[in-house]
Amino acid sequence: SHTGYIKRTPLDIYRTQGRGGKGRMGMATREEDFVEHLFVASTHSYILIFTNRGRLHWLKVHEVPQVGAAARGKALVNFVKLEEGEQVRTVLPVREFEEGKFVIMATKKGVVKKTELKAFSNVRSAGLIALSIDPGDDLLSARLTDGAQDIILATHMGKIIRFPETGVRPMGRAARGVRGIKLRSNDFVVEMDALAGATHILTATENGYGKRTEVGLYRKQSRGGMGIIDIKTTARNGMVVGVKAVGEEDQIMVSTTGGM
């Protein structure tokens, strides 16, 4: 959750529903809290936990308490050492630290960085630096890739860029990264994803509207450009809050700030 609670729940308690429904309680949260990260993992996997300051922490899935859908879970500070003001930004389930796998990271100000997964295999209990962050910037997202994916960066004001991962050379853990997208003033990146077999890009806005668009309609560009318009951020739609690369058979979980 946003304020740092974590739990695991058996997947089979979530039944498939039609879109537009009310949903069911997935996690109990306090008034000021909401669900921020949701993913499917095996108990044999590790969780790589990336924070806003570009630091990486490491946790085994089976160490996370298994509780029911309505429970809040346990505070993450019981498992990893976060500094004051440090917040979890993204979590990656990883089964093995294989050769030829990479982690792509992106910041709110459009910086991207690629590092070999093996570089993160020996994380200390206090964590380590995964990305050097500029003052005023935040690590936003991290994805696991095979080194040959197309990457998308999507912004709050409805712009998106698609570029080949090969345009970002692998760097060591402490490096800063390179520009992924050129942003207009007041705009910022809300999501980065790898296309890895995806057929569509799903976009969701803050007022609960969404759409999906065929991947082929997003032309490839060199990294560092301004991108193209993905969706109009009208008064009806609101601004963009989430963008995901999806396939026809994928199912979507949408979580509100109220925990539904």
Side-chain angles (χ1 to χ4, degrees):
S1 74
H2 183 68
T3 60
Y5 281 81
I6 187 169
K7 70 167 192 171
R8 61 186 170 98
T9 307
L11 191 61
D12 56 14
I13 73 159
Y14 295 102
R15 62 182 173 82
T16 303
Q17 302 176 39
R19 68 163 185 83
K22 189 180 176 186
R24 62 160 294 169
M25 182 60 76
M27 182 181 197
T29 57
R30 289 180 172 170
E31 248 178 61
E32 71 279 8
D33 200 7
F34 53 89
V35 177
E36 192 152 299
H37 307 285
L38 183 73
F39 58 92
V40 179
S42 153
T43 49
H44 302 292
S45 296
Y46 302 94
I47 305 173
L48 303 187
I49 301 168
F50 295 84
T51 75
N52 58 325
R53 294 182 178 168
R55 278 158 42 87
L56 169 67
H57 299 273
W58 196 80
L59 186 62
K60 291 180 178 175
V61 170
H62 70 76
E63 294 172 341
V64 178
Q66 178 174 314
V67 292
R72 208 174 69 195
K74 201 166 181 180
L76 197 54
V77 291
N78 291 302
F79 306 100
V80 295
K81 295 176 182 174
L82 299 178
E83 297 174 350
E84 191 159 339
E86 193 173 15
Q87 297 174 332
V88 173
R89 277 290 182 262
T90 195
V91 284
L92 280 183
V94 171
R95 192 69 181 258
E96 291 175 358
F97 294 87
E98 304 168 65
E99 292 275 3
K101 295 283 188 182
F102 298 87
V103 175
I104 292 264
M105 294 161 273
T107 74
K108 284 182 80 168
K109 291 191 173 179
V111 173
V112 292
K113 181 189 169 188
K114 180 164 76 174
T115 299
E116 288 189 47
L117 178 61
K118 278 187 75 70
F120 300 134
S121 60
N122 295 311
V123 175
R124 297 181 294 277
S125 60
L128 52 79
I129 293 171
L131 170 73
S132 292
I133 299 272
D134 293 342
D137 200 2
D138 254 9
L139 178 66
L140 176 80
S141 189
R143 290 287 180 272
L144 203 57
T145 75
D146 59 6
Q149 300 298 324
D150 280 356
I151 302 299
I152 56 167
L153 290 174
T155 80
H156 186 59
M157 294 166 74
K159 298 285 287 231
I160 194 166
I161 191 169
R162 174 187 180 183
F163 59 87
E165 179 189 342
T166 48
V168 184
R169 65 178 176 81
M171 299 178 188
R173 289 196 314 233
R176 172 189 175 273
V178 294
R179 179 188 277 177
I181 187 170
K182 189 184 289 183
L183 296 168
R184 294 174 290 175
S185 61
N186 300 325
D187 202 4
F188 55 89
V189 176
V190 295
E191 188 60 90
M192 177 267 295
D193 210 348
L195 293 185
T199 58
H200 291 79
I201 289 172
L202 179 91
T203 304
T205 65
E206 60 192 355
N207 292 342
Y209 289 89
K211 66 155 191 150
R212 65 189 172 105
T213 306
E214 288 183 18
V215 162
L217 296 176
Y218 298 88
R219 61 184 170 84
K220 286 190 196 184
Q221 298 174 264
S222 300
R223 66 164 181 83
M226 291 195 75
I228 61 172
I229 294 172
D230 175 36
I231 193 170
K232 290 181 179 173
T233 49
T234 58
R236 184 199 81 149
N237 287 346
M239 305 305 262
V240 176
V241 290
V243 174
K244 291 284 176 203
V246 296
E248 291 278 1
E249 301 304 312
D250 284 341
Q251 296 184 22
I252 303 301
M253 281 189 179
V254 177
S255 182
T256 72
T257 53
M260 296 299 288

